[in-house]
């Protein structure tokens, strides 16, 4: 129902004159998107905290865990734990691609407690291992 309303709202925005459309679209960069952006920033700021999870994120966002779950599901279609994992993995991939760190274990410890677990999650998220990403970078 929420997706249908947003779709209807987006269709209404497309029908508006161009100057209003951009303003409205910016405003429609919804509270959900803004919330997800703030949550992402909070995860990044706490990237080295192993115990950082949904409960801590909810506290930092000043919402209940249930509200956190609902809002992240609305904005990104992810549970809080999956959202945190996705942000951590994207951060790790950025470190590799920007050549900030030079080994899988160093990257893994910049947000994960186990290099093996990190590599498994990375492969499921990006369809390649962190080592393959490093190799592709060095061969280009």
């Amino acid at each position: 129902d929420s997706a249908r309303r947003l779709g209807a709202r987006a269709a209404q925005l497309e029908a508006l004159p161009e100057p209003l459309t951009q303003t409205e679209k910016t405003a429609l960069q919804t509270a959900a998107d803004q919330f997800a952006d703030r949550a992402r920033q909070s995860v990044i700021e706490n990237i080295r905290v192993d115990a950082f999870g949904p409960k801590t994120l909810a506290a930092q966002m000043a919402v209940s865990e249930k509200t956190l779950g609902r809002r992240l599901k609305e904005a990104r279609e992810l549970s809080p734990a999956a959202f945190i994992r996705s942000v951590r993995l994207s951060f790790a991939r950025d470190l590799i691609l920007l050549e900030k760190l030079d080994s899988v274990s160093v990257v893994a410890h910049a947000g994960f407690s186990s290099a093996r677990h990190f590599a498994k999650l990375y492969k499921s998220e990006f369809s390649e291992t962190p080592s393959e990403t490093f190799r592709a970078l060095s061969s280009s």
Side-chain angles (χ1 to χ4, degrees):
D1 188 42
S2 175
R4 187 173 47 83
R5 281 188 304 207
L6 278 177
R9 181 76 174 133
Q12 289 172 341
L13 289 175
E14 292 301 321
L16 291 173
E18 191 55 38
L20 282 177
T21 303
Q22 194 54 45
T23 303
E24 289 287 329
K25 280 183 180 176
T26 302
L28 187 67
Q29 195 237 352
T30 66
D33 288 336
Q34 292 172 7
F35 182 86
D37 289 346
R38 285 190 3 256
R40 181 181 180 284
Q41 188 59 40
S42 182
V43 173
I44 290 171
E45 288 169 2
N46 292 280
I47 205 81
R48 294 186 186 272
V49 180
D50 288 337
F52 188 84
K55 187 175 192 166
T56 310
L57 179 58
Q60 288 197 352
M61 299 298 294
V63 296
S64 69
E65 285 184 73
K66 187 172 184 161
T67 298
L68 176 70
R70 186 174 32 78
R71 287 186 168 181
L72 289 177
K73 190 68 137 172
E74 179 182 309
R76 299 292 183 264
E77 306 245 337
L78 295 170
S79 69
F83 176 82
I84 291 169
R85 182 174 47 249
S86 177
V87 170
R88 285 177 179 251
L89 287 167
S90 293
F91 183 80
R93 185 172 179 86
D94 289 348
L95 290 176
I96 294 170
L97 295 174
L98 295 172
E99 301 180 45
K100 296 289 185 185
L101 299 175
D102 59 0
S103 79
V104 173
S105 67
V106 172
V107 172
H109 292 295
F112 293 86
S113 57
S114 158
R116 178 174 286 169
H117 185 63
F118 163 71
K120 180 181 170 185
L121 292 172
Y122 188 97
K123 181 164 179 124
S124 72
E125 182 87 3
F126 302 113
S127 302
E128 66 181 9
T129 66
S131 297
E132 291 169 338
T133 304
F134 274 114
R135 275 193 293 271
L137 247 160
S138 63
S139 68
S140 59

